[in-house]
Amino acid sequence: MRKAIVIFLLMLGWMTAFAQAIETDGESEAAGIDDPAFVPTVKVSKVLDHGDSIQYMEMSNVYVYPKITFDSQKKMNAYLRLVRNVKKVLPIAKEVNGIIIETYEYLETLPNKKARDEHLKLVEKSIVKEYKPRMKKLTYSQGKLLIKLVYRECDSSSYDIVKAVLGPVRAGFWQAFAWCFGASLTKGYDPEGTDRLTERVVLMVEAGQL
């Protein structure tokens, strides 16, 4: 339940801006396509082996895929838009997961329910202040992608999160609201099927290759 509250607040901020974004989907937006969302990391260290110091280097994963070919300019533009959108919302989805872990671990150190509730109120206030303006800047396509990537990072659908926090009736209301705009809070993430291309882009963005 505590985990669900944090994600729900982020999703609520996005849903508040959802209707605004539908008119500005950013189809022609080109800025940021070459800006890395994640920078490749290289770690250099050493270990002792029978008294000898041996250096080693750890690098980010490198993914090799067949080159993508497009039979139309429209499909190429769709792919470039996907890359741009992943770079925009993947960091947010990862931040959601980080907030969940950090908040949950800290709550476990608090002595009682009153202290936990007070801390959650501070977390909620901070999240709304920081993330609501960012949610409003998302386009319609980016909002739909965020739903999927939150599932990827947190292993739970937005609908299940809302249901856990507000119950099935309110969850049904939010699902109906999203459905009116062509979205669904029940969307999962299928990296081996319908989201195969998205997963490829995500992995390469994470590795700093895109």
Side-chain angles (χ1 to χ4, degrees):
M1 176 68 73
R2 298 169 191 158
K3 295 181 180 182
I5 290 174
V6 180
I7 310 179
F8 171 69
L9 286 168
L10 289 173
M11 197 56 58
L12 182 60
W14 171 74
M15 291 297 289
T16 302
F18 196 89
Q20 300 174 10
I22 193 170
E23 297 298 332
T24 57
D25 194 33
E27 295 295 318
S28 60
E29 180 186 354
I33 190 68
D34 294 323
D35 298 332
F38 300 93
V39 178
T41 58
V42 177
K43 176 184 177 182
V44 179
S45 188
K46 60 183 178 179
V47 294
L48 291 177
D49 183 25
H50 298 91
D52 292 329
S53 179
I54 302 176
Q55 289 190 329
Y56 71 91
M57 183 170 61
E58 296 180 12
M59 301 179 63
S60 301
N61 292 332
V62 176
Y63 297 93
V64 180
Y65 293 101
K67 183 179 179 180
I68 298 179
T69 57
F70 304 97
D71 56 17
S72 69
Q73 185 65 40
K74 182 178 180 180
K75 290 182 179 180
M76 177 180 288
N77 290 340
Y79 172 75
L80 294 176
R81 187 164 57 249
L82 174 62
V83 173
R84 181 175 60 249
N85 289 347
V86 167
K87 288 184 176 184
K88 180 79 172 182
V89 303
L90 181 60
I92 298 176
K94 289 186 177 294
E95 287 171 22
V96 171
N97 192 43
I99 291 170
I100 292 170
I101 295 173
E102 180 181 354
T103 302
Y104 181 75
E105 289 178 349
Y106 185 77
L107 288 173
E108 291 298 298
T109 69
L110 298 179
N112 52 51
K113 183 178 183 300
K114 181 180 179 181
R116 290 191 290 270
D117 289 344
E118 289 178 353
H119 179 69
L120 273 178
K121 288 180 181 178
L122 293 176
V123 172
E124 292 171 9
K125 184 177 180 180
S126 175
I127 287 175
V128 170
K129 180 179 179 180
E130 179 179 356
Y131 283 93
K132 190 172 181 179
R134 293 173 65 183
M135 297 298 106
K136 286 186 176 181
K137 293 180 181 179
L138 297 185
T139 67
Y140 175 74
S141 298
Q142 290 165 354
K144 291 178 70 175
L145 180 61
L146 178 60
I147 291 177
K148 287 196 169 192
L149 295 188
V150 164
Y151 189 103
R152 179 183 187 269
E153 296 298 319
C154 304
D155 196 28
S156 183
S157 75
S158 301
Y159 177 82
D160 289 337
I161 293 167
V162 177
K163 182 178 178 181
V165 179
L166 299 180
V169 175
R170 294 287 296 279
F173 167 80
W174 283 109
Q175 168 62 4
F177 180 85
W179 180 82
C180 289
F181 294 98
S184 173
L185 299 184
T186 62
K187 281 287 186 182
Y189 187 77
D190 184 9
E192 302 296 329
T194 56
D195 299 308
R196 185 176 178 180
L197 181 58
T198 300
E199 180 68 8
R200 168 175 169 164
V201 171
V202 167
L203 290 175
M204 295 185 73
V205 168
E206 286 178 331
Q209 294 176 249
L210 283 176

